[in-house]
Amino acid sequence: MERIKNIKLRTDNSEIIPYTIESIPIYAVREQQSNYPNMCGIMHWHDDIEFIHVISGKMMYMVSDRLIEINEGDVIFVNTQQPHGHRHIEYEECVFNAVLIPTEVLKYPESLIKKYVDSVFYDSKFASFVFRKGDKGHAKLAKTIDDMVEKADMKEDAYEFDMIACGYKLMAEIIKRLNCKGAEKIGVS
C-alpha cells in the first residue's frame, strides 16, 4: 500500500522537511503525484534548494505566481525561500525524483560561498529554472538527481560523502546555467 504524503507546515507555511538521510540533512526520494492528497503538493517554502526530475508523466508546478508545466524528462530547480507547490494535470500520474538540500550543506568553503553561492541563494530573479531535454546542463542535472535518489535508497558505506558531492555538482550546474557573476569571473559559460 502506498503512503499518503502530507506536507507538514509551520505557522509561516515553511515546510518541516522529513530528511531521508540521518547523518546529513538531505532529502532524496522517488515520489508519485498520487501519494499526495488530491494529487496536489500544497504551497509551501523552505530554506532548502529543490530539484525535481520528472521520470514519467507530467505535472503543473507553481512557483510564486508562475504556473509551469513540467513533462517527462524535465528538471526544475526551485531556489530557497520561494513559495511553491505542485498538482496533477487531469489526474494523470506523475513519477518524479525529488532532492532537497539545505543551503548550509553547500556553504563550505567560505571563499566559494562569496564567489558563487551568495549570488544565487535568496535572489528572486532566480526563483526557479526549468531544464528541458537538450538544454545546457540538463543531462548532468537529471543524472545527478537520479544518482542521489538511488544512493539514498541503497545506503552503501560512506554514501553520505557521495550525496554531498552530488549536491555541489547540482549547484555547479545551476551556477553555470545562470551565468552568475561568480561564474563569469572564472569564465564558466
Side-chain angles (χ1 to χ4, degrees):
M1 185 167 143
E2 296 294 329
R3 64 179 170 80
I4 296 295
K5 167 120 182 180
N6 287 309
I7 296 175
K8 294 182 181 170
L9 303 177
R10 294 178 185 89
T11 56
D12 63 357
N13 282 341
S14 64
E15 181 180 7
I16 301 168
I17 309 287
Y19 296 114
T20 54
I21 302 171
E22 288 180 28
S23 52
I24 53 173
I26 291 180
Y27 179 86
V29 174
R30 175 154 297 179
E31 308 239 21
Q32 299 180 182
Q33 195 72 20
S34 60
N35 287 352
Y36 289 82
N38 299 316
M39 295 181 78
C40 296
I42 59 174
M43 291 294 284
H44 62 281
W45 66 274
H46 39 71
D47 285 327
D48 305 52
I49 55 174
E50 182 168 322
F51 296 87
I52 301 292
H53 177 218
V54 177
I55 304 301
S56 65
K58 58 186 175 180
M59 70 171 132
M60 193 62 69
Y61 227 83
M62 296 148 284
V63 181
S64 297
D65 60 352
R66 290 183 54 214
L67 285 174
I68 307 162
E69 184 175 318
I70 55 175
N71 301 295
E72 186 171 317
D74 290 347
V75 170
I76 187 168
F77 160 76
V78 179
N79 208 344
T80 181
Q81 298 186 350
Q82 299 302 313
H84 63 281
H86 53 88
R87 66 174 171 82
H88 63 86
I89 296 176
E90 297 179 6
Y91 291 96
E92 290 183 27
E93 183 64 275
C94 181
V95 177
F96 56 97
N97 285 338
V99 171
L100 283 74
I101 305 168
T103 56
E104 302 87 54
V105 172
L106 302 174
K107 289 199 169 186
Y108 180 83
E110 189 175 330
S111 61
L112 290 180
I113 301 315
K114 291 177 183 174
K115 194 171 186 179
Y116 303 108
V117 178
D118 285 343
S119 63
V120 176
F121 291 156
Y122 313 109
D123 191 332
S124 61
K125 69 180 176 237
F126 301 135
S128 65
F129 219 83
V130 176
F131 293 76
R132 311 274 184 201
K133 286 182 184 176
D135 285 352
K136 181 178 182 178
H138 170 273
K140 286 182 183 176
L141 282 170
K143 181 176 180 349
T144 303
I145 293 164
D146 296 348
D147 287 349
M148 290 181 80
V149 169
E150 183 180 333
K151 289 175 190 308
D153 283 343
M154 296 182 68
K155 293 182 176 30
E156 294 176 349
D157 285 345
Y159 78 101
E160 297 93 339
F161 290 106
D162 289 332
M163 298 296 280
I164 293 168
C166 286
Y168 278 102
K169 283 173 72 174
L170 291 173
M171 194 65 216
E173 286 307 313
I174 294 300
I175 290 168
K176 290 174 190 176
R177 173 64 186 264
L178 297 177
N179 201 19
C180 304
K181 290 178 187 172
E184 291 170 354
K185 287 179 187 172
I186 62 163
V188 176
S189 59

